[in-house]
Amino acid sequence: MKKSVVTMVFLALMASVPMMAWQGNIVVNTPNTSLVLRVDDAGKLKQSYFGELLNNNEVEQIAGTSMDLNQPAYPAFGQDNMMDLAAIQVLHADGQWTLYPTVDDVSTTAEGNAMLTTICLSDKQYPVSMKLFYKAYKTVDMIETWMEITHKEKKAIVLKRYDSGHLAIPQGNLYMIHMHGNWSAETYPTCEQINPGLKIVRNADGVRNAHNDAPEMMISLDGKPQENTGRVIGAALCWSGNYELRVNNSGDNQFAHFHAGIDPQTTEYILEPKEVFTTPKLAFTISDEGMSGVSRNFHRWARHEGWLHQGDKTRKILLNSWEGVYFDIKEEGMFQMMEDIKSMGGELFVMDDGWFGDKYQRNDDVTTLGDWMVDKKKLPNGIASLVKKAKSLGIDFGIWIEPESSNTKSEFFENHPDWVLKEKNRELKLGRGGTQMLLDLCNPKVQDFVFNVVDNLMTENPDISYIKWDANCGLQNFGSNYLPANKQSHLYIEYHRGLIKTLERIRAKYPHLVIQDCSSGGGRVNYGLLPYFEEFWTSDNNDPYQRVFIQWGTSYFFPSNAMAQHIGHSPYWNTGRATPIKFRTDVAMSGRLGIELQPRKMTDEEREQCRRCINDYKPLRELIQLGNLYRLISPYDNQGIASLMYTNDNKDKAVLFAHRIQFLYNMKTPRIRLAGLDAKKNYRLRELNVKVGSKPSPLSGRVFTGKLLMEQGLYLPLEKDYNSCVFELTAE
């Protein structure tokens, strides 16, 4: 009895004494980099270091010195001063705005090819708990971070800001590189020095967040960024909705702060008691091999760690019908296009828009979306006859859909007017063609409908191997009939959640189906969606001259087997520019090769050049689509040419691309210094896709050491507008 009383007294005393906060270093390592966090005496989580891999002794040596950044790892409003530095800000049920999280526990567990560090934090005055995660890969220099937030307050709290992650960066000669553009002019790298003040890159479109500005950024630590030298940080927010990237050059001139997360301006989140809110993941890396080094890290991570569906596989060479026939879909015409792509060596035919509709026929972009039944006037024998024809030719068959949208003129909208996004008591705002609307994917019934668009196609035609999933409508009507009135601010988040749930169902049932992520071109090129897609349509602009620029910027974060690059017609419709077929094929060869024109309208020269292109591409497909990218001369450097190359891991095989993008008489043509080779190996050059009617370059067949190729470089005969060349390099 006495022992029991003593025990009870001891427990009561312990309950009255504050528990000691977790303290010490938290080291998050990848093969070549370290992120060092520290929990100080007050239990606050601090960032000490991010850079080259450290050993345990070096980690200890940093503590308490000027090398220790000693900055909040995940700044909270109130605890860590100004709002523009806060990564999290909440409105409590009692009206208070501040949060003072301290670390309760830290754990590390193995998760596949990675180590997952979980840091548990809580506010001692308010029952708000947080879990901050860092997932570090063993196979690639990449770390993912994200946050879980929950609480046990009596009433809901409001998440005013909830970034996915934050990095403190020591001041220096810092530059930021982010992707800016528009429809048909995506991903133009914008480079600017990080001067004092706050720089915000944001995109408010809740559905398509890669037009205008994209949710990725690089930060150069060593002055103006270089392609293959210098320390560069790269970060990508894995989210397909509205976002905000912030770089704050702090007032003390010692640190810059990088934040990334969902844009808080229109997405306040009402968090109910015990509900768990999980932010999107932020992936980040650092390389001392310049911007191309950052790119290679992202490409490896995407291909091998699940951030690109079937990312370690190559893609087939296809013909897409869109720019060949547009809406003029006819059975015989589709048969003819299949025969033509087969004759040129292609492997897949994709029938684009215009194949569906019953009450309303789809002959333009103002009608019929949502009515996913075969138009029997155009295809009297249905899709089955097309699949059968493709199979008889030994090629695959694919089809276009746009399942997230409807037109005002459609049976779907007549039957389900409450299934589209619409603001209460306001007129519908309409998109493409003045008739297009976005479906309300917050609604589970709409999610079922979108799933069934794919499921019905595949159930009826199980041999379909490819779907082009388009999304041509932005989120214009900020209103959901499904969400309650007090949670309309959740719309952007719930739309994305609904889309992901739908895609997860599709992938669970059809894991090997190849699906292209298309959104008026590159409007949805992001790592929020690519885990569910094999590739994306890089841009609706298929002018090869402008594609050199667009593909260059896209490659900063996305691998080449995801980049659909098609040979188009000349002159091109939206620029009027005429380009030779040799140039068009060479530009398309540097990614996932395809064709986007009407073969019957091609000249004999165009047909023969395409055959050569496809024939030479196939043996090098794995190298081009899965190899290590080195960007050599940027089209943005005003040298008149653009050049890039791919190498394999053993450095015994490479392929070099070079394109003349500007030529003036007496203009200097730069030597191209190669990269990523073995200096001690000898490499034999062989020109690929030789121009029809021409002989191979005198360089073809020559042998050079890797040292000469990288230090002295090659002078290539690119002395006319739109000259281009492709060389294979093989170690001997």
Side-chain angles (χ1 to χ4, degrees), residues 81-144:
N81 299 320
M82 300 300 293
M83 180 179 177
D84 58 7
L85 285 181
I88 186 167
Q89 181 182 9
V90 305
L91 174 60
H92 297 281
D94 66 0
Q96 292 295 313
W97 285 61
T98 59
L99 199 65
Y100 286 72
T102 55
V103 176
D104 297 323
D105 188 34
V106 178
S107 62
T108 302
T109 56
E111 189 175 287
N113 291 329
M115 297 300 293
L116 180 65
T117 298
T118 304
I119 304 171
C120 300
L121 307 101
S122 64
D123 188 313
K124 303 311 176 189
Q125 301 302 319
Y126 289 86
V128 178
S129 300
M130 301 154 55
K131 287 184 179 179
L132 181 59
F133 299 93
Y134 292 94
K135 185 175 182 179
Y137 286 91
K138 302 174 186 177
T139 54
V140 61
D141 292 319
M142 189 66 67
I143 299 171
E144 299 164 13

Side-chain angles (χ1 to χ4, degrees), residues 218 226-228 290-296 299 551-557 629-634 643-645 673 675:
M218 293 189 189
Q226 304 300 314
E227 280 293 356
N228 294 297
M291 294 186 292
S292 286
V294 167
S295 299
R296 289 190 291 276
H299 298 170
Q551 292 167 187
W552 189 274
T554 306
S555 76
Y556 275 39
F557 288 92
L629 170 66
Y630 291 84
R631 290 183 297 268
L632 305 176
I633 299 179
S634 170
S643 182
L644 57 86
M645 63 182 290
R673 291 178 174 83

